[in-house]
Structure formats: C-alpha cells, structure tokens
C-alpha cells in the first residue's frame, strides 16, 4: 500500500496511524467564530484534521433554484444568496490556515468545482477530497490531478462501474478511496462496511478509508477493524443547530470517544504474530500444570484405574 504525506507531521497509508478527519463541512454556518470553536473541539478530541467544503455558488447551484425563497438564520432570502452566506472567503480561510497551524491540526477541503480548486491552491493544501456527488465529475477530478496533490475519492451514491471508470481513467497515482453510503443519517443495514475490504482487494496499493454518515460510533470503529486507514465523520457543536448536515454529525464528546476507541482498536489489532506476553507469565505459573505435575497426575490416574 502506498503512503501519502499530507502534512509535515502526518501521513496516510501503510504503517501509519489511522488518520481521523473531523468533517466541519458547512457546519460553521458561515461563521469564522463557529469554525474556530469546531477546530478547538477537534484538537481537544485528538482528530488529525478538520475538513471544510468549498463551492462557487453560481457553478454548483442549479439556476432554476437560484431565486427560490428559503428561511435562514439571516432571514428569508433567495437560495443563491443563502449559498453565498454560508461560503467562507479568502480572509476567513486565511484565518483558518493560521489557526490550524497554531493548533497543530491539518485542514483541507472538498472542492465542488474547478474555480474552488483554483481558490484553494492559494493555501497549499496537503490533500484534496471529492464529495461522493463528484465522483463522476471527471473535469473536476482532472483539475485536481493537475495539482499533483494526493486526493480522496468518496464513493457514496456510486456504482462499482462508476468507481472503476474513474480509477481507470485517472489511475492510482496519488489516489485514496473512501467507502461511503450517502444517506443522512445512514441506517446500519445500508453501511455495507465489508466494502472497505472489497476496495482494498480491488486496489491493494491504494489507501482505503471510510466516510460515515451514521448516528452511532461503533460502526466507524468497526471500519477501522476491517482495515480502513482513514475515517471521516461530520462534526458539529450541537446536532440541533440550524443547517442540513448537523443532524448526521458527531458532537464534541462523541468525537472524543470515537478517537479514543479507534486508538484502542489500533493497539488491540496487533501484528497477528502469536507470542506469550510478560503479563501472562504470572497466570501461567499459577494456572498451568507443569510437565512434572502432569506426569504425577497421570500415574495416579493409572493406579486408580488398576485398583478398580
């Protein structure tokens, strides 16, 4: 399996700790203050990275929806104006870049259009992520490929033929793949976690991870046990906040527990080589009969049998 250096401190791939991504997405609701609070909570939880989403509203919003009215925290407005309100600009991302460096956590984005990639290149990201909806957007993938940076393809709402078509076209150089099911929230019976192993078998040199949208934590930990070398979960300060992604997100206490459990599972998996640990020696001496005692026991059993 390949290994990709996504920052000066962290890598994804063979022999590396599971890379844990707290997906802020648009859960900042257009507020730099909320974004910073989420970064603080991700650092406190022990996540490796926070991730945002970047769109150019006019390119990513169907024109027939531009002028639809919508109730928002800023009052009733057109959908296109709402999309602008929740987008962070150059000054905000500059502040996020400085803040994440200060806090020692990686950050990157999912870009939804080529102009967004051009915008993010100003910040020298270590990796790009493609939302599941973009797996079939080959023009967008081609734009990211030209940056020469590692990138993650998320595979929700995609068929196997669509996944293989993208990989066949763009190759596995700099590629990472995330299994995902794009239901918000996703019921357990649709998580299909064994797809992690399917993708690992299909692309053995490619780091495979998991992007989850379920409400619990155990199934994300299970993805790690199945071999996922990176995981991503949506992250929020409060699942009751206004916005489309909060309900399927993990709150700070949940993220702390998720990181803790993933790190425990990493340690528990071991290397598959059987050994007797020093911690077992005391129990061995107390509980295991020695060969000498077994021989004596055998003689006594034989004598008892003869007496019958």
């Amino acid at each position: 399996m390949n290994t990709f250096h996504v920052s000066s401190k962290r890598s994804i791939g063979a022999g590396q700790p599971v890379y844990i991504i707290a997906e802020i997405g648009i859960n900042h609701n257009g507020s730099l203050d909320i974004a910073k609070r989420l970064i603080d909570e991700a650092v406190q939880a022990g996540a490796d990275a926070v991730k945002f989403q970047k769109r150019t509203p006019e390119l990513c919003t169907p024109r027939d929806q531009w002028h639809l009215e919508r109730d928002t925290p800023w009052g009733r407005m057109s959908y296109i104006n709402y999309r602008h309100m929740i987008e962070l600009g150059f000054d905000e991302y500059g502040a996020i870049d400085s803040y994440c460096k200060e806090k020692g956590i990686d950050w990157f984005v999912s870009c939804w259009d080529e102009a967004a990639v051009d915008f993010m290149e100003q910040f020298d990201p270590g990796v790009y992520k493609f939302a599941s909806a973009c797996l079939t957007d080959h023009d967008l993938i081609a734009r990211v490929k030209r940056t020469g940076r590692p990138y993650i393809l998320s595979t929700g709402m995609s068929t196997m033929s669509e996944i293989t078509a993208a990989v066949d076209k763009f190759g596995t150089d700099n590629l990472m793949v995330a299994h995902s099911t794009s239901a918000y929230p996703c019921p357990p019976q649709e998580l299909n976690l064994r797809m992690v192993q399917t993708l690992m078998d299909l692309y053995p040199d490619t780091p495979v991870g998991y992007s989850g949208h379920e409400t619990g934590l155990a199934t994300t930990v299970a993805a790690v046990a199945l071999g996922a070398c990176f995981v991503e979960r949506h992250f929020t300060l409060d699942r009751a906040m206004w916005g489309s992604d909060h309900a399927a997100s993990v709150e700070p206490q949940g993220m702390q527990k998720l990181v803790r459990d993933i790190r425990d599972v990493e340690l528990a998996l071991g290397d598959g080589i059987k050994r007797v640990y020093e911690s077992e020696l005391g129990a061995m001496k107390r509980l295991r009969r020695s060969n000498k005692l077994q021989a004596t026991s055998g003689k006594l059993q034989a004598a008892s049998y003869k007496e019958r």
Side-chain angles (χ1 to χ4, degrees), residues 22 26 29 31 92 123 137 150 152 186 200 204 214 217 232 246:
I26 57 173
N29 287 355
S31 166
E92 289 86 359
F123 300 99
D137 189 342
I152 298 168
C186 185
M200 291 171 62
E214 65 269 39
L217 303 176
E232 173 189 72
H246 293 280

Side-chain angles (χ1 to χ4, degrees), residues 61-75:
T61 307
R63 184 172 285 274
D64 61 358
Q65 297 182 26
W66 283 19
H67 302 296
L68 296 179
E69 293 291 310
R70 180 178 179 131
D71 291 319
T72 78
W74 307 279

Side-chain angles (χ1 to χ4, degrees), residues 11 24 26 51 57 85 112 145 152 171 187 192 229 256 289:
S11 300
I24 294 173
I26 57 173
K51 187 178 77 67
M85 291 293 291
W112 288 69
K145 279 284 290 186
I152 298 168
N192 197 13
C229 60
Q256 291 178 24
R289 294 189 299 165

Side-chain angles (χ1 to χ4, degrees), residues 94-112:
I96 286 169
D97 185 46
S98 298
Y99 200 67
C100 287
K101 287 175 179 174
E102 175 188 333
K103 298 295 182 178
I105 190 169
D106 295 347
W107 77 277
F108 60 103
V109 300
S110 295
C111 288
W112 288 69

Side-chain angles (χ1 to χ4, degrees), residues 2-203:
N2 293 321
T3 300
F4 298 113
H5 303 289
V6 296
S7 70
S8 61
K9 296 180 180 179
R10 298 176 181 88
S11 300
I12 303 176
Q16 302 300 312
V18 173
Y19 191 79
I20 303 173
I21 305 162
E23 156 75 284
I24 294 173
I26 57 173
N27 282 349
H28 50 70
N29 287 355
S31 166
L32 179 59
D33 177 64
I34 293 176
K36 286 185 173 181
R37 289 167 61 193
L38 282 162
I39 292 166
D40 288 339
E41 293 290 356
V43 171
Q44 180 67 28
D48 295 295
V50 290
K51 187 178 77 67
F52 298 86
Q53 296 179 20
K54 183 61 179 170
R55 295 171 174 85
T56 305
E58 285 77 11
L59 297 178
C60 295
T61 307
R63 184 172 285 274
D64 61 358
Q65 297 182 26
W66 283 19
H67 302 296
L68 296 179
E69 293 291 310
R70 180 178 179 131
D71 291 319
T72 78
W74 307 279
R76 192 164 180 82
M77 63 178 63
S78 68
Y79 188 55
I80 192 67
N81 286 340
Y82 159 72
R83 296 306 314 184
H84 277 287
M85 291 293 291
I86 61 171
E87 283 299 325
L88 301 177
F90 181 84
D91 291 343
E92 289 86 359
Y93 275 117
I96 286 169
D97 185 46
S98 298
Y99 200 67
C100 287
K101 287 175 179 174
E102 175 188 333
K103 298 295 182 178
I105 190 169
D106 295 347
W107 77 277
F108 60 103
V109 300
S110 295
C111 288
W112 288 69
D113 57 83
E114 294 91 328
V117 178
D118 296 338
F119 175 88
M120 293 312 306
E121 277 294 290
Q122 300 173 95
F123 300 99
D124 196 27
V127 61
Y128 280 102
K129 168 96 187 307
F130 289 94
S132 291
C134 299
L135 182 135
T136 57
D137 189 342
H138 289 185
D139 290 341
L140 180 58
I141 298 173
R143 175 64 190 93
V144 169
K145 279 284 290 186
R146 290 198 297 272
T147 70
R149 303 183 193 276
Y151 64 98
I152 298 168
L153 281 180
S154 198
T155 59
M157 68 179 80
S158 302
T159 65
M160 283 302 300
S161 62
E162 289 170 335
I163 295 169
T164 56
V167 177
D168 289 347
K169 181 171 182 176
F170 294 102
T172 57
D173 290 344
N174 287 330
L175 173 68
M176 293 173 273
V177 179
H179 168 58
S180 183
T181 303
S182 297
Y184 297 79
C186 185
Q189 65 270 23
E190 295 180 1
L191 292 175
N192 197 13
L193 293 180
R194 287 194 175 93
M195 268 300 301
V196 171
Q197 187 62 60
T198 297
L199 291 168
M200 291 171 62
D201 292 342
L202 188 61
Y203 304 114

